[in-house]
Amino acid sequence: MLDARAEQAPLYPLSTGRNWGMGSRSPVVDGCAVLDLSRMNTVRTLDLDDGYAVIEPGVTQRQLAALLEGTPWMLNVTAGCADASIVGNTLERGDGTIRGRTEDLLGVEVVLGTGEVLTTGGLDRRGRRPGRVAGPDLTRVFQQSNLGIVTAAAVSLIPRPEAITLVHATVAIDALDEGTAALVRIGRSRVAEHGMLRLKEIFVVPDRGAAAVPAGADPGTATIQVPLLGSLAAVRDAERGVLAEFRNLGTAASVRVLDTATTAEDDPLYARTRFARGIPTCDALHAGLRVRTCAQADQAPVGWLMFLPTVPLRRESLVAAVDLMRAESERHGTASMLEFNVVSQHSTNMVTQIPFVREPDAIERAHALRTAARDAFSRAGFPVYRSNIDQQHSELTARAADYHDLALGGLKDLFDPDGIIAPGRYLAALR
Ligand SMILES: Cc1cc2nc3c(=O)[nH]c(=O)nc-3n(C[C@H](O)[C@H](O)[C@H](O)COP(=O)(O)OP(=O)(O)OC[C@H]3O[C@@H](n4cnc5c(N)ncnc54)[C@H](O)[C@@H]3O)c2cc1C
């Protein structure tokens, strides 16, 4: 850090660099040295009494999930790569199968641009975290920012429950309006320990974009999915409530309830039942990208762009967001695949995947679609919650126009006076 400061050479830190769809390993601006932290892969603390781990940036989902096998705790895994980091994904506000990763983040150890080390959230110098100690907690300022380089994070684990089922409903796309209403009711009534409720697999497929869509994608349906965790009695009770909602949709919905402990390996939903049990797998990802290993992802025949706005958990908002994306997808002749992760009883993270075959015309259309979608969603009151290297610049400008965030630049000046950490990433200095 001191060398980088002396030479005024900006650094762009990565945990495992699998930020696919948002820029992968590329810095936001040119001229940065990439600081790859993937070999910092020590699990410094695994506290099986209190249920937390202190991990370095290179610790992967696969690595920590394997250490938790047979213990009373499990990991909140994403549907992304098993060899992706937990730290990088959490710093980007990634979504896991049980909850948003932000909820897992207890504290960080971070090296500031001055070279000073800071720990937050009650994480102590010895890598223990007895709880959140008195005083201000700066943990979240290091998410989606460039104020420091995170060298360790304390993450909370999920108590491994007696039962985990996965409720999976397929809804006719013509009944999406009623489907979203059911989603909102379930989202507002469920108890917090339940896994992430999702409305997903809404495929918008114009003719010109069809080649990039995964085999078997059905534009005539959408799915609603929720893992239920708890004692057997509590899970059965929760199932009854969720199933009652789908019964109201009549023939428009077909529902399965899968016991994740006994789902057969050849079941099409097997990977999802694994995620619900805290076991990462790359199978679905390989099928989507048409690769055999994740190392091939950045050269895959199908590329992906991600567009990630936040949409309120309201029927009108969800339907409006689908309509907006449908209109832009059709206009740009490019497919999009939509998913809404219910991250609270008020809002959803909309994950829009824009797949494209790697041909110049298709690549150009995919980028134009993401730019147009960003503008249309901003105008509709659905700003992004997670950005990408192409659009970071507009995010900074838009935020400055709409929010009182100028003082954040003062933090940048204080923590990174020479501006050597990830320039352009979510935050600008006052200078
Ligand atoms: C098919 C598919 C499925 C996906 N599914 C999911 C999903 O279910 N949930 C989800 O959230 N994402 C998903 N993704 C997106 C993405 O692949 C993951 O978020 C992935 O975990 C990010 O890569 P990473 O963990 O290697 O983070 P990195 O690429 O290492 O980090 C992400 C960014 O955070 C910053 N950063 C990283 N480490 C540090 C550090 N130590 N200090 C400071 N800043 C740092 C960097 O700017 C970096 O660019 C999916 C992608 C695809 C293509």
Side-chain angles (χ1 to χ4, degrees), residues 63-97:
Q63 186 183 348
L64 187 53
L67 286 175
L68 293 172
E69 252 178 60
T71 75
W73 303 96
M74 57 182 239
L75 180 64
N76 175 28
V77 298
T78 71
C81 174
D83 297 312
S85 77
I86 296 160
V87 170
N89 175 270
T90 305
L91 294 177
E92 272 291 81
R93 289 175 55 195
D95 282 337
T97 306

Side-chain angles (χ1 to χ4, degrees), residues 12-26 28 37 57 61 77-81 83-97 101 110 142 145-146 148-152 198 284-286 288-289 297 304 306 339 341 351 353 385-386 389 421-422 425-426:
Y12 189 76
L14 300 176
S15 288
T16 49
R18 300 189 172 212
N19 205 22
W20 298 320
M22 288 151 282
S24 298
R25 300 173 62 86
S26 303
V28 179
L37 301 169
Q61 305 204 84
V77 298
T78 71
C81 174
D83 297 312
S85 77
I86 296 160
V87 170
N89 175 270
T90 305
L91 294 177
E92 272 291 81
R93 289 175 55 195
D95 282 337
T97 306
R101 277 263 172 88
V110 60
F142 296 103
S145 83
N146 54 7
I149 296 175
V150 172
T151 45
R198 290 186 152 106
L285 197 146
H286 291 172
L289 299 179
W304 300 59
M306 297 277 192
E339 174 170 322
N341 298 338
V351 178
Q353 302 180 332
Y385 74 90
R386 181 173 172 186
I389 56 166
I421 300 172
R425 185 174 143 76
Y426 291 106

